[in-house]
Amino acid sequence: MPLVTTKKILSKANKENYAVGAFNFTNMETLQAIISAARELNSPVIVQSSEGTIKYMGLDYITAMVTSIAKKEKIPIALHLDHGSTVEMTKDCIKARYTSVMIDGSALKLEENIALTKKVVDLAKKSKVSVEAELGKLGIISDFIMSTADASMFLTNPEEAKRFVKETKVDALAIAIGTAHGPFKNKPKLAFDRIEEIKALLKMPLVMHGASGVPDDDIKRAVKAGINKININTDIRQAFSASIKDTFAKKPDTYKIRAYLDPARTAAEEVVKNKIRLFGSVGKA
Ligand code: G3H
Ligand code: 13P
Ligand code: ZN
């Protein structure tokens, strides 16, 4: 089927209380791994590219691959821009036929974040593209949370979230609840009560970033509390890279590209399958 929006995928997840994986791809092999895993488990899936990946692969390669593959698949697939930093970037992706974009104004003051996000919502809605935004200080919490007595100042404030969504009309909101991007130095401490509080106020799809390395039981609790989109990048990258290192350890002289990319792709697919099972989206296609 043609690419669908994240709004479509996430409103069903919100109604039925499960989460859909939003997996970052970096190249053709990681993209293939994500789509094969979702196909095998009959799950909807969000494939997402960071601005770094767009710079690396090129928008034309990305959209040519993703749009043509999606058409042949029976599962719903959304193509999403992860952490868009400018209105221009979101515009380029909308023009290239992404079905969803994130505008990340989380480092800005609330008013500035609202103004920036509103601009993106206005232009995205014209093309029926979904918008995700972020509120709270996500990236720094996990480093602080073990040592700071009151880490709640970094978490998303529920009243601010209510105002933010009312004024911007975003389709999904990424909230800071104790996770961070990249590998964790310490076990993250998630604020499940904060997820519940925000969910009760907003009743809309909520997004967890920085979910790699979060223990399985915590992921399950977060989904139960109201998370509907879960972003995974690091776990895929680590499995892919570990497999390549392993191939070279065994065959240091190999020059055959497929000899190390093929097992790496399989390793990435295994990670994605495990996450899909954990998030509860098996059979929800
Ligand atoms: O959330 C952000 C990504 O995990 C960072 O990925 O290295 O492709 O920018 P990147
Ligand atoms: P991880 O680094 O935990 O995989 O986070 C990915 C993410 O949030 C992408 O937006
Ligand atoms: Zn993120």
Side-chain angles (χ1 to χ4, degrees), residues 82-83 102 134 138 181 209-210 231:
D82 190 30
H83 293 282
M102 175 185 186
E134 180 171 320
L138 178 129
H181 293 115
H209 281 248
N231 286 13

Side-chain angles (χ1 to χ4, degrees), residues 22-26 48 50 82 212 231-238:
F23 300 102
N24 289 67
F25 59 90
T26 311
Q48 60 187 16
S50 66
D82 190 30
S212 291
N231 286 13
I232 298 285
N233 189 6
T234 301
D235 282 342
I236 296 175
R237 289 164 140 174
Q238 286 181 327

Side-chain angles (χ1 to χ4, degrees), residues 136-212:
K137 300 278 171 286
L138 178 129
I140 56 173
I141 305 169
S142 82
D143 288 346
F144 276 81
I145 204 149
M146 307 306 281
S147 54
T148 308
D150 187 13
S152 72
M153 62 190 283
F154 298 113
L155 304 176
T156 304
N157 175 301
E159 284 307 322
E160 281 185 9
K162 196 174 173 190
R163 179 180 159 203
F164 185 88
V165 171
K166 193 168 174 237
E167 292 191 27
T168 61
K169 300 188 173 55
V170 284
D171 301 298
L173 185 68
I175 53 174
I177 42 165
T179 59
H181 293 115
F184 285 107
K185 290 188 209 105
N186 301 306
K187 186 180 174 296
K189 194 162 170 260
L190 268 58
F192 301 104
D193 49 347
R194 188 59 65 101
I195 305 173
E196 279 166 8
E197 219 180 312
I198 297 173
K199 190 70 170 193
L201 271 181
L202 303 182
K203 300 179 177 59
M204 67 183 290
L206 299 178
V207 185
M208 180 199 271
H209 281 248
S212 291

Side-chain angles (χ1 to χ4, degrees), residues 34-261:
I34 297 162
I35 293 179
S36 311
R39 182 197 309 120
E40 200 174 312
L41 298 176
N42 197 31
S43 168
V45 73
I46 298 163
V47 293
Q48 60 187 16
S49 64
S50 66
E51 291 184 355
T53 288
I54 291 175
K55 207 166 158 202
Y56 174 75
M57 290 180 71
L59 266 182
D60 290 341
Y61 277 93
I62 292 175
T63 51
M65 275 198 259
V66 180
T67 53
S68 62
I69 294 308
K71 271 185 206 149
K72 296 192 175 162
E73 296 288 345
K74 293 191 179 72
I75 53 168
I77 301 173
L79 175 59
H80 176 75
L81 167 67
D82 190 30
H83 293 282
S85 60
T86 61
V87 175
E88 268 54 52
M89 190 70 224
T90 62
K91 237 186 231 173
D92 289 348
C93 289
I94 292 167
K95 211 167 136 202
R97 302 246 176 281
Y98 274 54
T99 54
S100 179
V101 291
M102 175 185 186
I103 180 73
D104 183 357
S106 60
L108 304 173
K109 292 204 183 84
L110 180 64
E111 275 72 24
E112 292 165 358
N113 191 358
I114 290 175
L116 175 72
T117 304
K118 254 180 163 171
K119 275 189 202 156
V120 174
V121 171
D122 284 348
L123 72 97
K125 291 275 149 90
K126 286 186 196 128
S127 307
K128 296 196 169 58
V129 166
S130 311
V131 179
E132 172 184 332
E134 180 171 320
L135 198 58
K137 300 278 171 286
L138 178 129
I140 56 173
I141 305 169
S142 82
D143 288 346
F144 276 81
I145 204 149
M146 307 306 281
S147 54
T148 308
D150 187 13
S152 72
M153 62 190 283
F154 298 113
L155 304 176
T156 304
N157 175 301
E159 284 307 322
E160 281 185 9
K162 196 174 173 190
R163 179 180 159 203
F164 185 88
V165 171
K166 193 168 174 237
E167 292 191 27
T168 61
K169 300 188 173 55
V170 284
D171 301 298
L173 185 68
I175 53 174
I177 42 165
T179 59
H181 293 115
F184 285 107
K185 290 188 209 105
N186 301 306
K187 186 180 174 296
K189 194 162 170 260
L190 268 58
F192 301 104
D193 49 347
R194 188 59 65 101
I195 305 173
E196 279 166 8
E197 219 180 312
I198 297 173
K199 190 70 170 193
L201 271 181
L202 303 182
K203 300 179 177 59
M204 67 183 290
L206 299 178
V207 185
M208 180 199 271
H209 281 248
S212 291
V214 175
D216 290 2
D217 286 347
D218 285 358
I219 293 278
K220 282 188 198 156
R221 273 184 77 185
V223 173
K224 214 168 161 207
I227 293 291
N228 305 111
K229 173 176 181 276
I230 302 184
N231 286 13
I232 298 285
N233 189 6
T234 301
D235 282 342
I236 296 175
R237 289 164 140 174
Q238 286 181 327
F240 196 84
S241 304
S243 168
I244 292 176
K245 281 182 224 164
D246 187 52
T247 303
F248 278 104
K250 288 178 188 143
K251 302 179 198 165
D253 298 324
T254 194
Y255 58 90
K256 294 181 181 169
I257 294 171
R258 289 189 301 266
Y260 54 89
L261 288 185

Side-chain angles (χ1 to χ4, degrees), residues 3-24:
L3 284 172
V4 301
T5 61
T6 50
K7 184 177 182 174
K8 180 153 191 216
I9 289 179
L10 297 179
S11 42
K12 180 166 151 56
N14 188 25
K15 251 182 246 151
E16 298 179 21
N17 194 212
Y18 61 88
V20 177
F23 300 102
N24 289 67

